[in-house]
Amino acid sequence: MNNKMKIVVIGGTGLIGTKLVNNLRQRGHEVVAASPSSGVNAFTGQGLAEVLTGVQVAVDVANAPQWDDKAVLEFFETAGRNLLAAEAAAGVRHHVALSIVGADRLPASGYLRAKVAQENLIKASKVPFTIVRSTQFFEFVKGIAQSATEGQTVRLSPGMMQPIAADDVAAALTDVAVAEPVNRTIEIAGPEPIRMDEFVRRFLSATGDARKVTVDVHAFYFGTELNDQSLVPGPGDNPRLGPTHYDDWLKRSTA
């Protein structure tokens, strides 16, 4: 499809949003990076009608500003409702949303419950859609280590992950945004599985960090315990795999 489209990226100034906006512009599309700083706030509804005028595709990669269970649910439900209603009114032809692989398998996590609520709103709306569920990003590794650190010890679940580079997430979203809506969920993941403790251990080693990783099957992630099925694509999900390997990403990002 080489016809130029007008595309709005909600959360267009974040990690994924910035990359996605650049990718779409390089392909010759007219792209608006929408965020509260640009006067577009999906949670309050401010600026939505204006920014969606004449838009064919809206991509939602916005994240909740607060992470406690009640606030995050309220954010994704309210922003989701506002955005979908404004899109329907503006005649948007494709709603693309970024979600998380395994969101429905971890109901103890308030954050993931909120993402499932967001997905359900999209499925119930009149706007044609594609939901892209991604595994954790390589870029999360520092934060995962930080939140699990006590003194010089990093206590982590050995749960299986299949993390993906943010560049590969943005590439997948770019392809989805310019394609026809599929009205279902597709999954993306990195090229290889790795246990969470090993994911962080390799990062600490690559950055010369002296902290030691210990394994704890009861360690929480996103407010819940994990098992080996929690965060990886399920059998039959047929995920699109990003080409970037973790060790190559580590070499590049620590160079």
Side-chain angles (χ1 to χ4, degrees):
M1 207 191 286
N2 54 12
N3 50 340
K4 185 173 148 181
M5 290 192 284
K6 187 172 181 191
I7 302 172
V8 166
V9 178
I10 305 284
T13 54
L15 171 66
I16 301 297
T18 305
K19 295 174 186 294
L20 177 59
V21 166
N22 288 338
N23 287 358
L24 289 166
R25 283 184 180 150
Q26 277 167 0
R27 291 199 188 187
H29 298 287
E30 183 188 340
V31 190
V32 181
S35 68
S37 60
S38 75
V40 180
N41 189 322
F43 184 69
T44 63
Q46 177 203 356
L48 282 179
E50 294 78 6
V51 83
L52 290 168
T53 304
V55 165
Q56 285 90 46
V57 182
V59 187
D60 184 7
V61 291
N63 214 336
Q66 291 165 308
W67 284 55
D68 63 281
D69 287 4
K70 192 167 172 292
V72 80
L73 182 63
E74 191 186 7
F75 173 82
F76 281 122
E77 286 200 320
T78 306
R81 275 196 200 99
N82 289 343
L83 186 53
L84 290 160
E87 285 175 25
V92 171
R93 296 203 299 263
H94 191 184
H95 176 90
V96 180
L98 181 61
S99 190
I100 301 169
V101 164
D104 48 347
R105 293 196 282 270
L106 294 168
S109 161
Y111 186 82
L112 296 177
R113 279 201 307 273
K115 290 301 285 183
V116 171
Q118 179 192 30
E119 289 182 6
N120 290 337
L121 284 169
I122 293 164
K123 291 173 190 169
S125 126
K126 300 273 188 290
V127 182
F129 71 91
T130 307
I131 295 167
V132 179
R133 279 188 166 189
S134 172
T135 53
Q136 277 56 47
F137 311 156
F138 294 158
E139 285 76 2
F140 290 172
V141 66
K142 193 177 180 180
I144 293 173
Q146 213 49 52
S147 64
T149 297
E150 301 151 21
Q152 281 297 295
T153 304
V154 189
R155 188 176 299 281
L156 290 162
S157 165
M160 196 60 86
M161 311 166 70
Q162 199 163 324
I164 182 171
D167 281 340
D168 294 349
V169 175
L173 284 168
T174 303
D175 288 345
V176 167
V178 300
E180 294 297 319
V182 296
N183 295 311
R184 61 182 174 84
T185 301
I186 59 177
E187 302 211 332
I188 59 175
E192 63 230 330
I194 183 172
R195 297 194 174 279
M196 186 174 284
D197 59 301
E198 182 61 19
F199 179 56
V200 171
R201 202 176 280 116
R202 282 195 208 170
F203 170 75
L204 297 179
S205 159
T207 51
D209 192 313
R211 285 177 288 175
K212 291 279 173 281
V213 172
T214 62
V215 173
D216 177 358
V217 293
H218 302 299
F220 274 22
Y221 179 67
F222 266 127
T224 185
E225 287 187 18
L226 301 175
N227 64 36
D228 282 349
Q229 287 75 47
S230 303
L231 297 175
V232 295
D237 285 344
N238 196 18
R240 165 178 164 153
L241 299 184
T244 310
H245 288 264
Y246 184 46
D247 287 343
D248 296 334
W249 179 85
L250 275 176
K251 280 192 201 87
R252 273 210 311 272
S253 54
T254 56

